[in-house]
Amino acid sequence: MKLTYLLFIFVFQISMAQSRTVLYKINIDSTGRKDKHSTFKDIPTFIKVVYMPDTRYNVPDQLPVKYYKCKSEIDCVSPKYFEVTGYIDNREEFWTHPPRDGDYIKQMEFLPFPNIKYGKKNWKSDLEISSVYFSDRRWAVWDGDVKLHNRYKVIRENSIIKINNIEFICTEILAKMNSKIGNTEVIFYFKGNLLIKAQYYLLNGDKLEMILKNYE
């Protein structure tokens, strides 16, 4: 289903997990990059997300989601490689791991994960990560484990996001991560359990925008 038909989807509130495929366009602004000489091998321009609530997953209370990272929209039609991780989708909240398997996209680990808790204005979560997997001179170097403190706040209930002349009334959430290795933040725009747009401020200084392209 193309984006032009998305308005009809939201006539009914989605309250339970449903099979769906979402395509996002990725825009990256590297003008604020801390290390101007750093390079990355696999910066995506599109990310395809496939939620699979009817498939068994090996993590309790989570459902599987596939991420495909693509260089073009055509590449996302029949992608060769995907990453599988978990998400939660119920009457209380929507929460998902972001894609993190990649030279550039690995930085998503340092940002608050996409999350909306229905009826709540503020919430928090903590995550501990290891230097073995995530320490990198291009964003932060440390030894051992480090704890990331994530804080979420709803800053607007009826934020209007316009995509291709279609207006989406969204819940706007500001989420910040604080830690001893640095700070990050992201602004999420949710329409129910569908992420319409996200603006990420990465640990390496880049700004990454993830915006809805197609939905089916």
Side-chain angles (χ1 to χ4, degrees), residues 24 161-163 170 186-190 194-200 209-212:
Y24 293 97
I161 298 296
K162 183 177 286 188
I163 304 174
C170 302
V186 56
I187 303 174
F188 297 114
Y189 298 88
F190 277 99
L194 179 63
L195 181 63
I196 301 295
K197 180 180 176 181
Q199 294 176 327
Y200 292 94
E209 181 184 66
M210 184 171 163
I211 189 162
L212 183 67

PDB file of all heavy atoms in Angstrom, residues 24 161-163 170 186-190 194-200 209-212:
ATOM      1  N   TYR A  24      11.285   3.159   5.194  1.00  0.00           N
ATOM      2  CA  TYR A  24      11.694   4.489   5.631  1.00  0.00           C
ATOM      3  C   TYR A  24      12.805   5.023   4.737  1.00  0.00           C
ATOM      4  O   TYR A  24      13.716   4.286   4.337  1.00  0.00           O
ATOM      5  CB  TYR A  24      12.197   4.459   7.076  1.00  0.00           C
ATOM      6  CG  TYR A  24      11.135   4.144   8.098  1.00  0.00           C
ATOM      7  CD1 TYR A  24      10.985   2.853   8.580  1.00  0.00           C
ATOM      8  CD2 TYR A  24      10.293   5.139   8.586  1.00  0.00           C
ATOM      9  CE1 TYR A  24      10.013   2.549   9.524  1.00  0.00           C
ATOM     10  CE2 TYR A  24       9.318   4.848   9.532  1.00  0.00           C
ATOM     11  CZ  TYR A  24       9.186   3.547   9.999  1.00  0.00           C
ATOM     12  OH  TYR A  24       8.226   3.252  10.930  1.00  0.00           O
ATOM     13  N   ILE A 161       2.739  16.163  11.217  1.00  0.00           N
ATOM     14  CA  ILE A 161       3.830  15.839  10.304  1.00  0.00           C
ATOM     15  C   ILE A 161       3.241  15.693   8.902  1.00  0.00           C
ATOM     16  O   ILE A 161       2.317  14.905   8.692  1.00  0.00           O
ATOM     17  CB  ILE A 161       4.549  14.533  10.715  1.00  0.00           C
ATOM     18  CG1 ILE A 161       5.176  14.684  12.101  1.00  0.00           C
ATOM     19  CG2 ILE A 161       5.599  14.141   9.678  1.00  0.00           C
ATOM     20  CD1 ILE A 161       6.275  15.735  12.179  1.00  0.00           C
ATOM     21  N   LYS A 162       3.770  16.445   7.962  1.00  0.00           N
ATOM     22  CA  LYS A 162       3.272  16.391   6.585  1.00  0.00           C
ATOM     23  C   LYS A 162       4.272  15.638   5.710  1.00  0.00           C
ATOM     24  O   LYS A 162       5.458  15.977   5.661  1.00  0.00           O
ATOM     25  CB  LYS A 162       3.054  17.801   6.038  1.00  0.00           C
ATOM     26  CG  LYS A 162       2.472  17.826   4.620  1.00  0.00           C
ATOM     27  CD  LYS A 162       2.213  19.238   4.143  1.00  0.00           C
ATOM     28  CE  LYS A 162       1.004  19.838   4.823  1.00  0.00           C
ATOM     29  NZ  LYS A 162       0.626  21.151   4.219  1.00  0.00           N
ATOM     30  N   ILE A 163       3.791  14.593   5.030  1.00  0.00           N
ATOM     31  CA  ILE A 163       4.607  13.801   4.113  1.00  0.00           C
ATOM     32  C   ILE A 163       3.847  13.694   2.800  1.00  0.00           C
ATOM     33  O   ILE A 163       2.724  13.166   2.761  1.00  0.00           O
ATOM     34  CB  ILE A 163       4.893  12.392   4.674  1.00  0.00           C
ATOM     35  CG1 ILE A 163       5.559  12.479   6.048  1.00  0.00           C
ATOM     36  CG2 ILE A 163       5.768  11.601   3.703  1.00  0.00           C
ATOM     37  CD1 ILE A 163       5.731  11.132   6.725  1.00  0.00           C
ATOM     38  N   CYS A 170       0.401  13.303  15.189  1.00  0.00           N
ATOM     39  CA  CYS A 170       1.284  12.373  15.908  1.00  0.00           C
ATOM     40  C   CYS A 170       1.500  12.772  17.366  1.00  0.00           C
ATOM     41  O   CYS A 170       1.326  13.928  17.746  1.00  0.00           O
ATOM     42  CB  CYS A 170       2.649  12.323  15.222  1.00  0.00           C
ATOM     43  SG  CYS A 170       2.604  11.821  13.500  1.00  0.00           S
ATOM     44  N   VAL A 186      16.837  11.888  20.620  1.00  0.00           N
ATOM     45  CA  VAL A 186      16.030  11.584  19.441  1.00  0.00           C
ATOM     46  C   VAL A 186      14.619  12.100  19.670  1.00  0.00           C
ATOM     47  O   VAL A 186      14.132  12.139  20.802  1.00  0.00           O
ATOM     48  CB  VAL A 186      16.022  10.056  19.159  1.00  0.00           C
ATOM     49  CG1 VAL A 186      15.539   9.278  20.357  1.00  0.00           C
ATOM     50  CG2 VAL A 186      15.166   9.715  17.950  1.00  0.00           C
ATOM     51  N   ILE A 187      13.988  12.547  18.595  1.00  0.00           N
ATOM     52  CA  ILE A 187      12.585  12.959  18.639  1.00  0.00           C
ATOM     53  C   ILE A 187      11.793  11.960  17.802  1.00  0.00           C
ATOM     54  O   ILE A 187      12.082  11.765  16.610  1.00  0.00           O
ATOM     55  CB  ILE A 187      12.392  14.381  18.104  1.00  0.00           C
ATOM     56  CG1 ILE A 187      13.257  15.365  18.897  1.00  0.00           C
ATOM     57  CG2 ILE A 187      10.918  14.782  18.197  1.00  0.00           C
ATOM     58  CD1 ILE A 187      13.234  16.777  18.335  1.00  0.00           C
ATOM     59  N   PHE A 188      10.828  11.298  18.429  1.00  0.00           N
ATOM     60  CA  PHE A 188       9.967  10.332  17.748  1.00  0.00           C
ATOM     61  C   PHE A 188       8.603  10.952  17.476  1.00  0.00           C
ATOM     62  O   PHE A 188       8.064  11.688  18.309  1.00  0.00           O
ATOM     63  CB  PHE A 188       9.754   9.087  18.613  1.00  0.00           C
ATOM     64  CG  PHE A 188      11.005   8.303  18.914  1.00  0.00           C
ATOM     65  CD1 PHE A 188      11.483   8.207  20.213  1.00  0.00           C
ATOM     66  CD2 PHE A 188      11.696   7.648  17.909  1.00  0.00           C
ATOM     67  CE1 PHE A 188      12.627   7.486  20.504  1.00  0.00           C
ATOM     68  CE2 PHE A 188      12.836   6.921  18.186  1.00  0.00           C
ATOM     69  CZ  PHE A 188      13.308   6.836  19.485  1.00  0.00           C
ATOM     70  N   TYR A 189       8.029  10.609  16.334  1.00  0.00           N
ATOM     71  CA  TYR A 189       6.664  11.009  15.989  1.00  0.00           C
ATOM     72  C   TYR A 189       5.885   9.732  15.706  1.00  0.00           C
ATOM     73  O   TYR A 189       6.108   9.065  14.687  1.00  0.00           O
ATOM     74  CB  TYR A 189       6.659  11.924  14.762  1.00  0.00           C
ATOM     75  CG  TYR A 189       7.399  13.228  14.969  1.00  0.00           C
ATOM     76  CD1 TYR A 189       8.766  13.316  14.709  1.00  0.00           C
ATOM     77  CD2 TYR A 189       6.743  14.372  15.422  1.00  0.00           C
ATOM     78  CE1 TYR A 189       9.456  14.504  14.891  1.00  0.00           C
ATOM     79  CE2 TYR A 189       7.427  15.564  15.614  1.00  0.00           C
ATOM     80  CZ  TYR A 189       8.779  15.619  15.347  1.00  0.00           C
ATOM     81  OH  TYR A 189       9.465  16.802  15.530  1.00  0.00           O
ATOM     82  N   PHE A 190       4.972   9.383  16.614  1.00  0.00           N
ATOM     83  CA  PHE A 190       4.185   8.154  16.499  1.00  0.00           C
ATOM     84  C   PHE A 190       2.734   8.462  16.151  1.00  0.00           C
ATOM     85  O   PHE A 190       2.122   9.375  16.721  1.00  0.00           O
ATOM     86  CB  PHE A 190       4.189   7.395  17.828  1.00  0.00           C
ATOM     87  CG  PHE A 190       5.398   6.524  18.052  1.00  0.00           C
ATOM     88  CD1 PHE A 190       6.454   6.966  18.827  1.00  0.00           C
ATOM     89  CD2 PHE A 190       5.470   5.257  17.494  1.00  0.00           C
ATOM     90  CE1 PHE A 190       7.565   6.164  19.048  1.00  0.00           C
ATOM     91  CE2 PHE A 190       6.569   4.440  17.706  1.00  0.00           C
ATOM     92  CZ  PHE A 190       7.623   4.900  18.484  1.00  0.00           C
ATOM     93  N   LEU A 194       2.620   3.172  14.961  1.00  0.00           N
ATOM     94  CA  LEU A 194       3.423   3.334  13.749  1.00  0.00           C
ATOM     95  C   LEU A 194       4.340   4.544  13.889  1.00  0.00           C
ATOM     96  O   LEU A 194       3.879   5.666  14.110  1.00  0.00           O
ATOM     97  CB  LEU A 194       2.520   3.501  12.530  1.00  0.00           C
ATOM     98  CG  LEU A 194       3.238   3.708  11.195  1.00  0.00           C
ATOM     99  CD1 LEU A 194       4.083   2.498  10.819  1.00  0.00           C
ATOM    100  CD2 LEU A 194       2.223   4.011  10.088  1.00  0.00           C
ATOM    101  N   LEU A 195       5.633   4.317  13.759  1.00  0.00           N
ATOM    102  CA  LEU A 195       6.594   5.410  13.776  1.00  0.00           C
ATOM    103  C   LEU A 195       6.557   6.116  12.421  1.00  0.00           C
ATOM    104  O   LEU A 195       6.877   5.520  11.395  1.00  0.00           O
ATOM    105  CB  LEU A 195       7.994   4.867  14.064  1.00  0.00           C
ATOM    106  CG  LEU A 195       9.121   5.908  14.128  1.00  0.00           C
ATOM    107  CD1 LEU A 195       8.888   6.886  15.275  1.00  0.00           C
ATOM    108  CD2 LEU A 195      10.479   5.221  14.262  1.00  0.00           C
ATOM    109  N   ILE A 196       6.169   7.377  12.434  1.00  0.00           N
ATOM    110  CA  ILE A 196       6.066   8.158  11.212  1.00  0.00           C
ATOM    111  C   ILE A 196       7.407   8.804  10.869  1.00  0.00           C
ATOM    112  O   ILE A 196       7.837   8.819   9.715  1.00  0.00           O
ATOM    113  CB  ILE A 196       4.986   9.246  11.345  1.00  0.00           C
ATOM    114  CG1 ILE A 196       3.613   8.624  11.650  1.00  0.00           C
ATOM    115  CG2 ILE A 196       4.928  10.112  10.085  1.00  0.00           C
ATOM    116  CD1 ILE A 196       3.060   7.758  10.537  1.00  0.00           C
ATOM    117  N   LYS A 197       8.077   9.297  11.898  1.00  0.00           N
ATOM    118  CA  LYS A 197       9.333  10.016  11.665  1.00  0.00           C
ATOM    119  C   LYS A 197      10.179   9.975  12.935  1.00  0.00           C
ATOM    120  O   LYS A 197       9.648   9.917  14.042  1.00  0.00           O
ATOM    121  CB  LYS A 197       9.026  11.474  11.281  1.00  0.00           C
ATOM    122  CG  LYS A 197      10.233  12.353  11.014  1.00  0.00           C
ATOM    123  CD  LYS A 197       9.780  13.767  10.645  1.00  0.00           C
ATOM    124  CE  LYS A 197      10.940  14.709  10.463  1.00  0.00           C
ATOM    125  NZ  LYS A 197      10.512  16.088  10.127  1.00  0.00           N
ATOM    126  N   ALA A 198      11.501   9.992  12.759  1.00  0.00           N
ATOM    127  CA  ALA A 198      12.418  10.084  13.898  1.00  0.00           C
ATOM    128  C   ALA A 198      13.601  10.954  13.492  1.00  0.00           C
ATOM    129  O   ALA A 198      14.107  10.850  12.366  1.00  0.00           O
ATOM    130  CB  ALA A 198      12.895   8.706  14.338  1.00  0.00           C
ATOM    131  N   GLN A 199      14.020  11.805  14.411  1.00  0.00           N
ATOM    132  CA  GLN A 199      15.199  12.645  14.200  1.00  0.00           C
ATOM    133  C   GLN A 199      16.234  12.262  15.254  1.00  0.00           C
ATOM    134  O   GLN A 199      16.060  12.547  16.436  1.00  0.00           O
ATOM    135  CB  GLN A 199      14.843  14.121  14.310  1.00  0.00           C
ATOM    136  CG  GLN A 199      13.917  14.601  13.207  1.00  0.00           C
ATOM    137  CD  GLN A 199      13.490  16.045  13.386  1.00  0.00           C
ATOM    138  OE1 GLN A 199      13.332  16.528  14.503  1.00  0.00           O
ATOM    139  NE2 GLN A 199      13.280  16.741  12.281  1.00  0.00           N
ATOM    140  N   TYR A 200      17.306  11.606  14.817  1.00  0.00           N
ATOM    141  CA  TYR A 200      18.343  11.107  15.705  1.00  0.00           C
ATOM    142  C   TYR A 200      19.554  12.046  15.705  1.00  0.00           C
ATOM    143  O   TYR A 200      20.009  12.477  14.641  1.00  0.00           O
ATOM    144  CB  TYR A 200      18.816   9.724  15.262  1.00  0.00           C
ATOM    145  CG  TYR A 200      17.808   8.613  15.416  1.00  0.00           C
ATOM    146  CD1 TYR A 200      16.977   8.238  14.356  1.00  0.00           C
ATOM    147  CD2 TYR A 200      17.713   7.908  16.610  1.00  0.00           C
ATOM    148  CE1 TYR A 200      16.071   7.202  14.489  1.00  0.00           C
ATOM    149  CE2 TYR A 200      16.795   6.861  16.750  1.00  0.00           C
ATOM    150  CZ  TYR A 200      15.988   6.516  15.686  1.00  0.00           C
ATOM    151  OH  TYR A 200      15.090   5.494  15.830  1.00  0.00           O
ATOM    152  N   GLU A 209      17.845  11.433   9.950  1.00  0.00           N
ATOM    153  CA  GLU A 209      16.385  11.530   9.865  1.00  0.00           C
ATOM    154  C   GLU A 209      15.836  10.272   9.210  1.00  0.00           C
ATOM    155  O   GLU A 209      16.313   9.834   8.168  1.00  0.00           O
ATOM    156  CB  GLU A 209      15.978  12.749   9.058  1.00  0.00           C
ATOM    157  CG  GLU A 209      14.468  12.917   8.945  1.00  0.00           C
ATOM    158  CD  GLU A 209      14.070  14.080   8.061  1.00  0.00           C
ATOM    159  OE1 GLU A 209      14.340  13.996   6.844  1.00  0.00           O
ATOM    160  OE2 GLU A 209      13.522  15.057   8.583  1.00  0.00           O
ATOM    161  N   MET A 210      14.827   9.692   9.832  1.00  0.00           N
ATOM    162  CA  MET A 210      14.178   8.482   9.343  1.00  0.00           C
ATOM    163  C   MET A 210      12.706   8.836   9.148  1.00  0.00           C
ATOM    164  O   MET A 210      11.999   9.149  10.102  1.00  0.00           O
ATOM    165  CB  MET A 210      14.359   7.374  10.399  1.00  0.00           C
ATOM    166  CG  MET A 210      13.835   6.026  10.041  1.00  0.00           C
ATOM    167  SD  MET A 210      14.409   4.835  11.302  1.00  0.00           S
ATOM    168  CE  MET A 210      13.278   3.485  10.984  1.00  0.00           C
ATOM    169  N   ILE A 211      12.248   8.800   7.898  1.00  0.00           N
ATOM    170  CA  ILE A 211      10.906   9.290   7.606  1.00  0.00           C
ATOM    171  C   ILE A 211      10.133   8.272   6.763  1.00  0.00           C
ATOM    172  O   ILE A 211      10.676   7.643   5.861  1.00  0.00           O
ATOM    173  CB  ILE A 211      10.971  10.666   6.908  1.00  0.00           C
ATOM    174  CG1 ILE A 211       9.589  11.288   6.789  1.00  0.00           C
ATOM    175  CG2 ILE A 211      11.667  10.580   5.565  1.00  0.00           C
ATOM    176  CD1 ILE A 211       9.614  12.774   6.512  1.00  0.00           C
ATOM    177  N   LEU A 212       8.871   8.111   7.088  1.00  0.00           N
ATOM    178  CA  LEU A 212       8.017   7.126   6.431  1.00  0.00           C
ATOM    179  C   LEU A 212       7.932   7.348   4.923  1.00  0.00           C
ATOM    180  O   LEU A 212       7.700   8.461   4.465  1.00  0.00           O
ATOM    181  CB  LEU A 212       6.618   7.188   7.044  1.00  0.00           C
ATOM    182  CG  LEU A 212       5.580   6.171   6.526  1.00  0.00           C
ATOM    183  CD1 LEU A 212       5.958   4.762   6.922  1.00  0.00           C
ATOM    184  CD2 LEU A 212       4.206   6.544   7.050  1.00  0.00           C
TER     185      LEU A 212
END
